[in-house]
Amino acid sequence: MDLKRNRILYLALIIFTIGIGLMSRTSFVPQSVLPYLGDILYTLMFYFIFGFLFPEMPRAKVAMISIGLCFLIEISQLYQADWINELRANRLGGLILGFGFRWSDLLCYTMGGLWGYGLETYGPLAKSIRK
């Protein structure tokens, strides 16, 4: 099935997801949700980025790539060399690379990728994609 994503919409979704992700680190989010919401939104952001960059890429492939990238970033947290820890010490580097490996993050990344897939397939984004 051919599809074409609206790049302007996906750029807005990227910016919106980043904003919500940054707000998820505030006191507005309950402590029971805090450790997980950011990771789910992180993968969702990558889903929108890859959807923006490759507007005709199949949904399942976008989901797999976004989940896979987040898995690689999470696994890279097992590597603790001085140079990469210096990058992580920078606020932006820490937000991108994370600090410590957690198995629960892998589940959150999977949920975020599936959420993006679901929004495009069954949710409000399904109507915005030209077929």
Side-chain angles (χ1 to χ4, degrees), residues 96-116:
I96 294 170
L97 298 173
F99 298 99
F101 178 86
R102 290 189 323 206
W103 287 102
S104 62
D105 289 352
L106 300 179
L107 178 61
C108 292
Y109 298 145
T110 303
M111 289 174 58
L114 292 176
W115 195 11

Side-chain angles (χ1 to χ4, degrees), residues 3 5 7 48-58 62 65:
L3 59 95
R5 293 175 183 89
R7 284 188 152 170
F48 293 144
I49 289 172
F50 287 117
F52 173 83
L53 293 174
F54 307 102
E56 297 179 14
M57 184 180 286
V62 172
I65 291 171

Side-chain angles (χ1 to χ4, degrees), residues 37-64:
L37 182 59
D39 294 325
I40 293 168
L41 291 170
Y42 190 66
T43 312
L44 185 61
M45 177 197 65
F46 278 117
Y47 189 98
F48 293 144
I49 289 172
F50 287 117
F52 173 83
L53 293 174
F54 307 102
E56 297 179 14
M57 184 180 286
R59 295 173 188 100
K61 191 171 184 179
V62 172
M64 288 187 293

Side-chain angles (χ1 to χ4, degrees), residues 65-76:
I65 291 171
S66 59
I67 293 167
L69 176 63
C70 290
F71 272 41
L72 286 173
I73 291 170
E74 186 68 22
I75 291 167
S76 78

